[in-house]
Amino acid sequence: MTTFQSPKRHTLRHLAGAALLCALATTAAAQAWPTKSVSLVVPFPAGGTTDVLARALGQELAKSLGQPVIVENKPGAGATLGADFVAKAKPDGYTLLMGAVHHTIATSVYRKLAYDFQKDLAPVTTVAMVPNVLVVQAESSSRTVPELIAQAKRAPGKFTFGSNGNGTGQHLIGAQFEAMAGVQLLHVPYKGSGPMTTDLLGGQISMSFDTITPVLPHIKGGKLRALAVTTAKRSAALPDVPTLDEAGLKGFDLGTWFGVLAPAGTPKEVVTRLNTEMVKIIQSPDFRKKMDDIGADPIGDTPEQMARQIKDDTERFARLVKEAKVVLE
Protein backbone atom coordinates (compact mmCIF):
# COMPACT_ATOMS: atom_id res chain seq x y z
CA MET A 1 0.00 0.00 0.00
CA THR A 2 1.40 3.39 -0.97
CA THR A 3 0.86 6.35 1.35
CA PHE A 4 0.88 9.83 -0.14
CA GLN A 5 1.57 13.00 1.84
CA SER A 6 0.43 16.50 1.04
CA PRO A 7 3.17 18.84 -0.24
CA LYS A 8 2.60 21.07 2.80
CA ARG A 9 3.16 18.23 5.31
CA HIS A 10 6.21 17.08 3.34
CA THR A 11 7.68 20.59 3.49
CA LEU A 12 7.02 20.90 7.20
CA ARG A 13 8.79 17.61 7.89
CA HIS A 14 11.82 18.78 5.93
CA LEU A 15 11.88 22.09 7.78
CA ALA A 16 11.61 20.33 11.15
CA GLY A 17 14.40 17.97 10.18
CA ALA A 18 16.61 20.82 9.05
CA ALA A 19 15.95 22.70 12.30
CA LEU A 20 16.85 19.61 14.33
CA LEU A 21 20.09 19.10 12.40
CA CYS A 22 20.97 22.77 12.88
CA ALA A 23 20.30 22.53 16.62
CA LEU A 24 22.38 19.34 16.90
CA ALA A 25 25.21 20.97 14.96
CA THR A 26 25.11 24.05 17.21
CA THR A 27 25.14 21.91 20.36
CA ALA A 28 28.01 19.81 19.04
CA ALA A 29 30.00 22.92 18.16
CA ALA A 30 29.35 24.41 21.60
CA GLN A 31 30.46 21.21 23.32
CA ALA A 32 33.67 21.17 21.28
CA TRP A 33 34.31 24.86 22.01
CA PRO A 34 36.99 26.11 22.36
CA THR A 35 39.31 24.48 19.86
CA LYS A 36 41.55 27.53 19.37
CA SER A 37 42.65 30.72 21.09
CA VAL A 38 40.10 33.26 22.32
CA SER A 39 40.56 37.01 21.77
CA LEU A 40 39.53 39.41 24.53
CA VAL A 41 39.32 42.90 23.04
CA VAL A 42 40.14 45.87 25.27
CA PRO A 43 38.85 49.16 23.76
CA PHE A 44 41.59 51.18 25.47
CA PRO A 45 45.42 51.23 25.40
CA ALA A 46 47.43 49.04 27.77
CA GLY A 47 47.82 50.17 31.37
CA GLY A 48 44.29 51.27 32.25
CA THR A 49 41.76 49.52 34.46
CA THR A 50 40.03 47.78 31.54
CA ASP A 51 43.35 46.37 30.38
CA VAL A 52 44.45 45.32 33.88
CA LEU A 53 41.17 43.48 34.51
CA ALA A 54 41.23 41.81 31.09
CA ARG A 55 44.74 40.47 31.60
CA ALA A 56 44.00 39.23 35.13
CA LEU A 57 40.86 37.45 33.93
CA GLY A 58 42.41 36.23 30.68
CA GLN A 59 45.34 34.61 32.45
CA GLU A 60 43.05 32.46 34.59
CA LEU A 61 40.48 31.86 31.84
CA ALA A 62 43.18 30.36 29.61
CA LYS A 63 43.85 27.76 32.30
CA SER A 64 40.21 26.78 32.71
CA LEU A 65 39.47 26.67 28.96
CA GLY A 66 42.70 24.94 28.00
CA GLN A 67 43.29 27.45 25.20
CA PRO A 68 45.25 30.74 25.02
CA VAL A 69 43.31 33.94 25.76
CA ILE A 70 44.86 36.81 23.84
CA VAL A 71 44.21 40.36 25.03
CA GLU A 72 43.95 42.74 22.06
CA ASN A 73 44.01 46.51 22.60
CA LYS A 74 41.81 48.37 20.09
CA PRO A 75 41.49 51.93 21.47
CA GLY A 76 39.76 54.93 20.00
CA ALA A 77 36.55 56.99 19.86
CA GLY A 78 35.75 56.69 23.55
CA ALA A 79 35.97 52.86 23.54
CA THR A 80 33.44 52.55 20.70
CA LEU A 81 35.91 51.29 18.07
CA GLY A 82 36.68 48.14 20.04
CA ALA A 83 32.99 47.57 20.78
CA ASP A 84 32.11 47.94 17.10
CA PHE A 85 34.84 45.44 16.16
CA VAL A 86 33.43 42.78 18.49
CA ALA A 87 29.81 43.54 17.58
CA LYS A 88 30.66 42.73 13.95
CA ALA A 89 32.80 39.67 14.74
CA LYS A 90 31.68 36.11 14.02
CA PRO A 91 29.39 34.99 16.90
CA ASP A 92 31.34 31.84 17.75
CA GLY A 93 32.74 32.69 21.18
CA TYR A 94 36.28 33.35 19.95
CA THR A 95 36.05 37.15 20.01
CA LEU A 96 34.95 38.84 23.23
CA LEU A 97 34.81 42.41 24.53
CA MET A 98 35.93 43.72 27.91
CA GLY A 99 33.20 46.33 28.03
CA ALA A 100 32.47 48.99 30.62
CA VAL A 101 29.98 51.56 31.75
CA HIS A 102 31.45 53.86 29.06
CA HIS A 103 29.51 51.94 26.42
CA THR A 104 26.16 52.68 28.06
CA ILE A 105 27.08 56.38 27.99
CA ALA A 106 28.24 56.34 24.36
CA THR A 107 24.73 55.30 23.30
CA SER A 108 23.47 58.77 24.27
CA VAL A 109 26.61 60.83 23.67
CA TYR A 110 27.33 59.88 20.04
CA ARG A 111 24.80 60.94 17.42
CA LYS A 112 25.70 57.97 15.23
CA LEU A 113 27.11 54.61 16.32
CA ALA A 114 27.71 51.73 13.91
CA TYR A 115 26.37 49.25 16.46
CA ASP A 116 23.64 48.93 19.09
CA PHE A 117 25.23 48.06 22.43
CA GLN A 118 22.11 46.34 23.78
CA LYS A 119 21.18 44.49 20.60
CA ASP A 120 24.50 43.63 18.95
CA LEU A 121 26.36 42.35 22.01
CA ALA A 122 25.44 39.57 24.44
CA PRO A 123 26.35 40.03 28.14
CA VAL A 124 28.42 37.27 29.76
CA THR A 125 29.23 38.59 33.24
CA THR A 126 30.22 41.74 35.13
CA VAL A 127 33.81 41.34 36.30
CA ALA A 128 34.17 44.20 38.78
CA MET A 129 32.96 47.59 39.97
CA VAL A 130 35.68 50.20 40.45
CA PRO A 131 35.17 53.60 42.11
CA ASN A 132 36.48 56.69 40.36
CA VAL A 133 38.59 59.17 42.26
CA LEU A 134 39.25 62.88 41.90
CA VAL A 135 43.03 63.33 41.92
CA VAL A 136 45.42 66.27 41.54
CA GLN A 137 49.19 66.60 41.63
CA ALA A 138 50.78 66.24 45.04
CA GLU A 139 52.12 69.80 44.62
CA SER A 140 48.67 71.23 43.94
CA SER A 141 47.48 73.97 46.26
CA SER A 142 44.06 72.28 46.31
CA ARG A 143 44.06 70.05 49.38
CA THR A 144 40.29 69.54 49.62
CA VAL A 145 37.32 69.53 47.25
CA PRO A 146 35.94 72.85 48.62
CA GLU A 147 39.37 74.47 48.04
CA LEU A 148 39.47 73.14 44.47
CA ILE A 149 35.96 74.40 43.75
CA ALA A 150 36.75 77.83 45.17
CA GLN A 151 39.90 78.11 43.04
CA ALA A 152 38.09 76.92 39.90
CA LYS A 153 35.33 79.52 40.43
CA ARG A 154 37.95 82.27 40.56
CA ALA A 155 39.45 81.13 37.24
CA PRO A 156 36.67 79.84 34.92
CA GLY A 157 37.98 77.57 32.16
CA LYS A 158 41.56 77.63 33.46
CA PHE A 159 41.41 74.30 35.33
CA THR A 160 41.54 71.21 33.10
CA PHE A 161 40.40 67.64 33.66
CA GLY A 162 41.42 64.59 31.66
CA SER A 163 39.32 61.61 30.62
CA ASN A 164 39.73 58.32 28.76
CA GLY A 165 38.01 59.91 25.80
CA ASN A 166 34.90 61.77 24.76
CA GLY A 167 31.78 60.09 26.06
CA THR A 168 33.52 57.90 28.65
CA GLY A 169 32.66 57.59 32.32
CA GLN A 170 35.42 60.00 33.31
CA HIS A 171 34.10 62.58 30.87
CA LEU A 172 30.56 62.39 32.23
CA ILE A 173 31.73 62.39 35.85
CA GLY A 174 33.71 65.55 35.11
CA ALA A 175 30.67 67.14 33.48
CA GLN A 176 28.51 66.18 36.45
CA PHE A 177 31.12 67.64 38.81
CA GLU A 178 31.04 70.92 36.86
CA ALA A 179 27.26 71.09 37.06
CA MET A 180 26.97 70.25 40.75
CA ALA A 181 29.94 72.39 41.85
CA GLY A 182 28.98 75.34 39.65
CA VAL A 183 32.40 75.56 37.99
CA GLN A 184 33.65 75.74 34.40
CA LEU A 185 36.46 73.29 33.58
CA LEU A 186 38.23 72.48 30.31
CA HIS A 187 37.85 68.85 29.22
CA VAL A 188 40.94 67.16 27.71
CA PRO A 189 40.17 63.73 26.18
CA TYR A 190 42.84 61.00 25.90
CA LYS A 191 42.84 57.52 24.39
CA GLY A 192 43.33 55.90 27.77
CA SER A 193 44.46 56.14 31.38
CA GLY A 194 48.16 55.67 30.59
CA PRO A 195 48.74 58.87 28.60
CA MET A 196 46.28 60.80 30.75
CA THR A 197 48.05 59.89 33.99
CA THR A 198 51.41 60.73 32.44
CA ASP A 199 50.17 64.24 31.63
CA LEU A 200 48.60 64.62 35.07
CA LEU A 201 51.90 63.71 36.73
CA GLY A 202 53.68 66.13 34.42
CA GLY A 203 51.30 68.99 35.20
CA GLN A 204 49.79 69.23 31.71
CA ILE A 205 46.28 68.83 33.18
CA SER A 206 44.93 69.95 36.55
CA MET A 207 42.98 66.86 37.62
CA SER A 208 41.32 63.63 36.55
CA PHE A 209 38.34 61.52 37.60
CA ASP A 210 39.90 58.19 36.63
CA THR A 211 39.15 54.82 38.18
CA ILE A 212 41.27 54.03 41.24
CA THR A 213 43.34 51.26 39.64
CA PRO A 214 45.80 53.23 37.44
CA VAL A 215 46.32 56.09 39.90
CA LEU A 216 46.48 54.10 43.16
CA PRO A 217 50.27 53.45 42.96
CA HIS A 218 50.90 57.18 42.40
CA ILE A 219 48.62 58.11 45.31
CA LYS A 220 50.42 55.69 47.61
CA GLY A 221 53.76 56.87 46.24
CA GLY A 222 52.95 60.48 47.10
CA LYS A 223 52.96 61.78 43.50
CA LEU A 224 49.19 62.33 43.32
CA ARG A 225 46.72 63.51 45.92
CA ALA A 226 43.26 61.94 46.15
CA LEU A 227 40.61 64.51 47.09
CA ALA A 228 37.47 62.36 46.92
CA VAL A 229 35.95 59.20 45.46
CA THR A 230 32.91 59.55 43.22
CA THR A 231 30.79 56.71 44.61
CA ALA A 232 28.28 56.89 47.45
CA LYS A 233 30.53 54.95 49.82
CA ARG A 234 34.24 55.17 50.47
CA SER A 235 36.69 52.81 48.80
CA ALA A 236 38.37 50.09 50.85
CA ALA A 237 41.56 50.90 48.92
CA LEU A 238 41.42 54.54 50.10
CA PRO A 239 39.50 54.42 53.40
CA ASP A 240 40.65 57.88 54.52
CA VAL A 241 39.52 59.62 51.33
CA PRO A 242 36.00 61.13 51.58
CA THR A 243 33.27 60.76 48.98
CA LEU A 244 32.20 63.74 46.87
CA ASP A 245 28.91 63.54 48.74
CA GLU A 246 30.76 63.97 52.04
CA ALA A 247 32.80 66.78 50.50
CA GLY A 248 29.68 68.82 49.81
CA LEU A 249 28.28 67.57 46.49
CA LYS A 250 25.23 65.84 47.97
CA GLY A 251 23.93 62.85 46.05
CA PHE A 252 27.00 62.42 43.84
CA ASP A 253 27.26 58.69 43.09
CA LEU A 254 28.96 57.53 39.90
CA GLY A 255 31.36 54.60 39.49
CA THR A 256 32.62 52.33 36.72
CA TRP A 257 31.77 48.67 36.10
CA PHE A 258 33.62 46.38 33.72
CA GLY A 259 32.29 43.21 32.14
CA VAL A 260 32.64 40.72 29.30
CA LEU A 261 30.33 40.59 26.28
CA ALA A 262 30.18 38.43 23.14
CA PRO A 263 28.71 39.18 19.71
CA ALA A 264 24.94 38.75 19.63
CA GLY A 265 24.02 35.34 18.25
CA THR A 266 26.81 33.52 20.08
CA PRO A 267 25.46 30.03 20.96
CA LYS A 268 23.80 30.03 24.37
CA GLU A 269 25.84 26.99 25.38
CA VAL A 270 29.06 28.93 24.75
CA VAL A 271 27.85 31.98 26.70
CA THR A 272 26.84 29.69 29.58
CA ARG A 273 30.24 28.00 29.56
CA LEU A 274 32.01 31.36 29.54
CA ASN A 275 29.85 32.63 32.39
CA THR A 276 30.43 29.50 34.47
CA GLU A 277 34.21 29.60 34.05
CA MET A 278 34.48 33.36 34.60
CA VAL A 279 32.31 33.42 37.71
CA LYS A 280 34.44 30.65 39.25
CA ILE A 281 37.54 32.75 38.59
CA ILE A 282 36.03 36.05 39.78
CA GLN A 283 34.78 34.53 43.03
CA SER A 284 38.02 32.68 43.79
CA PRO A 285 40.15 33.90 46.74
CA ASP A 286 43.18 34.54 44.51
CA PHE A 287 41.27 36.74 42.07
CA ARG A 288 39.56 38.60 44.91
CA LYS A 289 42.97 39.35 46.41
CA LYS A 290 44.14 40.74 43.06
CA MET A 291 41.03 42.94 42.92
CA ASP A 292 41.58 44.21 46.47
CA ASP A 293 45.11 45.21 45.51
CA ILE A 294 43.87 47.44 42.67
CA GLY A 295 40.83 48.87 44.45
CA ALA A 296 38.23 46.84 42.54
CA ASP A 297 35.13 45.09 43.88
CA PRO A 298 34.68 41.71 42.10
CA ILE A 299 31.13 40.88 40.94
CA GLY A 300 30.56 37.75 38.81
CA ASP A 301 26.84 37.89 37.98
CA THR A 302 24.58 36.20 35.41
CA PRO A 303 24.11 37.39 31.79
CA GLU A 304 20.55 38.39 32.68
CA GLN A 305 21.70 40.49 35.64
CA MET A 306 24.35 42.19 33.53
CA ALA A 307 21.76 42.90 30.81
CA ARG A 308 19.53 44.63 33.38
CA GLN A 309 22.50 46.69 34.60
CA ILE A 310 23.22 47.79 31.03
CA LYS A 311 19.58 48.72 30.40
CA ASP A 312 19.28 50.67 33.66
CA ASP A 313 22.58 52.51 33.14
CA THR A 314 21.76 53.36 29.54
CA GLU A 315 18.55 55.05 30.71
CA ARG A 316 20.20 56.73 33.70
CA PHE A 317 23.11 58.14 31.71
CA ALA A 318 20.80 59.29 28.93
CA ARG A 319 19.23 61.64 31.48
CA LEU A 320 22.63 62.82 32.76
CA VAL A 321 23.94 63.36 29.24
CA LYS A 322 20.90 65.47 28.42
CA GLU A 323 21.30 67.53 31.59
CA ALA A 324 25.03 68.02 31.00
CA LYS A 325 24.46 68.69 27.26
CA VAL A 326 27.26 66.32 26.22
CA VAL A 327 26.80 65.45 22.54
CA LEU A 328 29.40 64.25 20.03
CA GLU A 329 29.32 63.51 16.33
Side-chain angles (χ1 to χ4, degrees), residues 46-121:
T49 305
T50 319
D51 184 72
V52 171
L53 289 175
R55 294 180 189 280
L57 179 66
Q59 182 179 10
E60 298 304 318
L61 187 60
K63 298 176 185 177
S64 63
L65 294 179
Q67 293 288 348
V69 175
I70 301 170
V71 174
E72 295 186 53
N73 297 90
K74 293 184 180 295
T80 62
L81 290 185
D84 183 51
F85 176 84
V86 176
K88 291 178 170 59
K90 187 177 180 180
D92 54 10
Y94 291 104
T95 305
L96 307 173
L97 173 71
M98 178 59 84
V101 71
H102 313 298
H103 295 105
T104 64
I105 299 169
T107 300
S108 299
V109 169
Y110 287 88
R111 293 183 187 275
K112 295 179 181 179
L113 281 178
Y115 65 93
D116 186 311
F117 190 61
Q118 292 192 69
K119 294 181 179 179
D120 297 335
L121 291 153

Side-chain angles (χ1 to χ4, degrees), residues 24 113 136 141 153 256 300 319:
L24 290 173
L113 281 178
V136 297
S141 58
K153 285 183 176 180
T256 302
R319 294 191 294 270

Side-chain angles (χ1 to χ4, degrees), residues 99-101 104 117 126 128-130 255-259 306 309-310 313:
V101 71
T104 64
F117 190 61
T126 308
M129 173 69 77
V130 184
T256 302
W257 58 259
F258 300 86
M306 186 180 179
Q309 177 77 47
I310 289 172
D313 277 355

Side-chain angles (χ1 to χ4, degrees), residues 74-293:
K74 293 184 180 295
T80 62
L81 290 185
D84 183 51
F85 176 84
V86 176
K88 291 178 170 59
K90 187 177 180 180
D92 54 10
Y94 291 104
T95 305
L96 307 173
L97 173 71
M98 178 59 84
V101 71
H102 313 298
H103 295 105
T104 64
I105 299 169
T107 300
S108 299
V109 169
Y110 287 88
R111 293 183 187 275
K112 295 179 181 179
L113 281 178
Y115 65 93
D116 186 311
F117 190 61
Q118 292 192 69
K119 294 181 179 179
D120 297 335
L121 291 153
V124 177
T125 190
T126 308
V127 178
M129 173 69 77
V130 184
N132 291 63
V133 57
L134 168 55
V135 289
V136 297
Q137 278 188 302
E139 297 81 8
S140 171
S141 58
S142 303
R143 305 194 68 83
T144 66
V145 171
E147 286 181 0
L148 175 63
I149 292 174
Q151 291 170 353
K153 285 183 176 180
R154 289 195 294 268
K158 296 292 181 66
F159 281 72
T160 55
F161 77 93
S163 79
N164 279 6
N166 288 313
T168 60
Q170 292 92 334
H171 181 190
L172 197 60
I173 288 171
Q176 184 75 354
F177 178 85
E178 286 183 276
M180 292 183 69
V183 297
Q184 181 183 343
L185 306 175
L186 178 63
H187 174 227
V188 183
Y190 291 84
K191 286 187 175 181
S193 295
M196 175 176 64
T197 303
T198 298
D199 275 6
L200 178 60
L201 290 167
Q204 279 73 45
I205 54 175
S206 309
M207 69 192 85
S208 77
F209 297 87
D210 206 353
T211 47
I212 284 180
T213 304
V215 294
L216 187 59
H218 302 297
I219 295 171
K220 291 184 174 180
K223 294 182 179 180
L224 294 177
R225 178 186 302 138
L227 299 187
V229 293
T230 65
T231 44
K233 66 177 184 178
R234 295 192 181 196
S235 167
L238 297 170
D240 296 328
V241 176
T243 65
L244 280 174
D245 178 271
E246 292 173 327
L249 301 186
K250 296 301 178 183
F252 205 112
D253 181 19
L254 291 172
T256 302
W257 58 259
F258 300 86
V260 178
L261 302 98
T266 300
K268 184 178 180 180
E269 294 84 356
V270 172
V271 173
T272 300
R273 172 83 188 282
L274 280 167
N275 176 268
T276 299
E277 300 296 347
M278 289 182 185
V279 170
K280 285 180 183 177
I281 294 168
I282 294 167
Q283 295 182 352
S284 69
D286 287 346
F287 193 84
R288 285 185 171 276
K289 174 63 169 57
K290 290 179 181 178
M291 295 301 98
D292 288 343
D293 291 343

